[in-house]
Amino acid sequence: MLKFATRVQSLKSSSIMEISAKAQELKAQGFDVISLAAGEPDFNTPEPIQKAATQAMAEGITRYTPAPGFLALREVIAEMVTRENGYEVSPDEVTIVSGAKHGIYLALQCLVEPGEAILVPTPAWVSYSPMVELTGAHIIPLPLFEEDGFRPNVDRWKGLAIPPNAKGIIINSPNNPTGVVYTKEDLTRLVSWAIQRNLWILSDEIYEKILYDGAKHTSVSALGPEAKNCTVTVSGFSKSYSMTGWRLGWTIAPKEFSKKLGALQSQSNSHTTSFVQWAAITAAKLPPTILQSMVSEFDTRRQYCMKRLDGLSDYLTYTRPTGAFYFFINMSKFLVPRKMSDVEFAKTLLEKEYLGVVPGSSFGKENCMRISYATSLKNLETAFNRLETFLKTH
Ligand code: PMP
Ligand code: GLU
């Protein structure tokens, strides 16, 4: 009889992936499902990247690579970040990992002791808490408020008792699920607050290149050497170059930390797929026009969603996103009078209208829902028609 180890006993699959799988299942059964659940660009990966991968395979780049990744790739990532993000990075601070998610997992395994507490501004992406729990630690949510536009406001946390076993904080801007981009001032205050409390920082910057309305991305490590020394940055091409299925990301951390992270990788998945790494060199060198055209298409969809959401203001409120491709929508006006939970709402919406969304409680905030607009305008139009029908008839 197989018995689960304690560390995985309460582990569940990613709720987003489960909802997406359920939507796929209904689709396969012939139902006309539209899923706004998973945040995944609907474009194919740009052709030069595809070509680079097939060429790499043909040329025999099909064998084991160094555990931290090919030096040639770590060099181009270091150059790109130094040029674009405003802080100096050397190749030995870069580790190529199998997606940003895997980078976060490895970093937490290297950082966290059992029994510790990790602070997470919340609402927050669904996978941080389970990954922290796998280390034997737990998270303490730091509330973000809709009235503050879901931007971090350290004054709000004055009354919170931060226990002495709190060792780190996870920061995510541009943010999933809110789409909010923290300003440089927001981040400076948040990072000083963290440094004063002697916390390490895990900065998840996976949406750094998906920005609208002139919003600017600030990297935590660009705030100065003190910030850089206590930060592990995670990013990748999954979102910006439509490479979600390729499983490639990177971490940037001080050299000694990166060495340990590479050692952990060498003892687990060994490294990221060889020809995927090779193609990523091409991705890092692509002209900005390719990215700009995808972001501009997302922006058109974002504008469309805002128009439709504004038309439903009797039922919901939302915070205008300036990054990533999500809307985090407060459904209290609709849900509270009907005594309906956000989970029940999302379940019924899928069953009755064949529309997939993620309930806010998956991100630690009830009475809300997250939708992704990384899908065609046609799908968005149908999705909003279905949502409107549901709200007006229930
Ligand atoms: N961080 C956040 C906030 C995300 O939304 C995601 C989802 N893709 C990831 C990390 C993981 O990205 P990747 O696909 O590169 O593993
Ligand atoms: N990160 C994406 C999302 O939030 C994909 C799902 C996942 O990686 O868990 O929808």
Side-chain angles (χ1 to χ4, degrees):
M1 177 75 172
L2 298 178
K3 187 174 165 292
F4 293 120
T6 316
R7 81 178 74 84
V8 295
Q9 259 163 19
S10 59
L11 181 68
K12 295 204 178 69
S13 298
S14 156
S15 53
I16 297 172
M17 295 198 138
E18 271 186 4
I19 296 166
S20 308
K22 170 95 187 145
Q24 292 282 354
E25 200 184 295
L26 286 170
K27 229 179 199 167
Q29 288 167 15
F31 295 102
D32 171 26
V33 180
I34 295 188
S35 180
L36 307 184
E40 174 165 42
D42 55 328
F43 313 114
N44 199 357
T45 305
E47 230 176 88
I49 307 176
Q50 298 174 29
K51 283 200 176 130
T54 34
Q55 194 183 338
M57 273 187 264
E59 286 174 9
I61 317 267
T62 49
R63 311 173 73 129
Y64 292 137
T65 83
F70 284 124
L71 178 61
L73 175 57
R74 289 186 290 125
E75 279 172 349
V76 290
I77 304 282
E79 276 162 28
M80 180 184 76
V81 178
T82 303
R83 191 176 62 244
E84 293 178 6
N85 294 56
Y87 65 103
E88 284 281 328
V89 180
S90 68
D92 51 15
E93 293 173 310
V94 178
T95 311
I96 307 303
V97 290
S98 300
K101 193 185 248 180
H102 183 231
I104 297 166
Y105 179 84
L106 293 176
L108 290 171
Q109 288 292 326
C110 290
L111 282 166
V112 185
E113 295 281 6
E116 288 181 350
I118 310 307
L119 308 176
V120 183
T122 300
W125 183 46
V126 297
S127 290
Y128 299 139
S129 177
M131 285 202 251
V132 166
E133 280 164 19
L134 278 170
T135 68
H138 64 281
I139 66 148
I140 298 183
L142 295 173
L144 298 170
F145 295 86
E146 196 178 359
E147 306 90 277
D148 298 333
F150 289 117
R151 287 165 48 200
N153 178 354
V154 295
D155 294 337
R156 296 272 202 182
W157 305 331
K158 271 188 185 141
L160 281 183
I162 309 286
N165 65 341
K167 300 290 175 185
I169 182 167
I170 303 180
I171 298 177
N172 171 219
S173 174
N175 186 268
N176 177 5
T178 62
V180 169
V181 180
Y182 300 172
T183 63
K184 189 170 181 189
E185 292 69 36
D186 290 335
L187 269 177
T188 305
R189 286 190 78 205
L190 179 57
V191 167
S192 333
W193 184 90
I195 289 175
Q196 274 162 24
R197 283 158 185 79
N198 215 8
L199 303 172
W200 51 253
I201 299 170
L202 180 61
S203 182
D204 180 349
E205 302 182 14
I206 187 71
Y207 296 100
E208 60 181 305
K209 293 193 162 65
I210 304 181
L211 301 162
Y212 320 99
D213 293 347
K216 297 246 179 320
H217 170 68
T218 305
S219 284
V220 168
S221 287
L223 295 177
E226 206 182 355
K228 190 184 170 206
N229 279 338
C230 66
T231 298
V232 181
T233 302
V234 182
S235 193
F237 291 130
S238 302
K239 312 293 179 176
S240 45
Y241 282 126
S242 272
M243 293 179 74
T244 47
W246 293 64
R247 311 313 302 134
L248 179 125
W250 57 83
T251 61
I252 298 170
K255 196 169 141 190
E256 286 311 308
F257 188 89
S258 296
K259 249 187 177 168
K260 191 62 86 182
L261 201 139
L264 180 58
Q265 176 147 264
S266 83
Q267 298 293 12
S268 49
N269 62 316
S270 293
H271 58 76
T272 303
T273 308
S274 53
F275 46 86
V276 166
Q277 288 188 50
W278 209 252
I281 297 176
T282 300
K285 292 179 175 168
L286 280 185
T289 42
I290 295 185
L291 174 69
Q292 280 156 5
S293 69
M294 289 199 259
V295 173
S296 144
E297 179 59 35
F298 284 140
D299 194 18
T300 306
R301 299 168 182 185
R302 182 184 70 118
Q303 307 276 354
Y304 175 77
C305 291
M306 285 194 282
K307 209 172 73 199
R308 295 298 302 262
L309 288 168
D310 290 341
L312 295 171
S313 58
D314 285 346
Y315 306 96
L316 52 85
T317 54
Y318 69 94
T319 302
R320 182 188 180 98
T322 53
F325 32 61
Y326 305 107
F327 278 88
F328 198 63
I329 303 164
N330 186 336
M331 299 299 302
S332 298
K333 279 192 198 174
F334 178 81
L335 295 176
V336 174
R338 289 165 181 79
K339 296 191 170 56
M340 192 189 256
S341 75
D342 55 350
V343 175
E344 204 185 329
F345 171 74
K347 192 166 168 272
T348 322
L349 196 59
L350 184 57
E351 285 167 0
K352 296 244 172 90
E353 296 291 340
Y354 301 112
L355 176 58
V357 302
V358 186
S361 42
S362 292
F363 306 94
K365 183 127 178 79
E366 289 177 2
N367 289 332
C368 296
M369 71 164 166
R370 187 197 78 174
I371 61 166
S372 156
Y373 52 92
T375 189
S376 68
L377 269 179
K378 188 169 164 286
N379 275 350
L380 287 171
E381 188 182 353
T382 315
F384 273 102
N385 291 346
R386 291 180 189 183
L387 177 65
E388 190 166 338
T389 304
F390 187 88
L391 295 176
K392 290 188 171 163
T393 54
H394 280 77

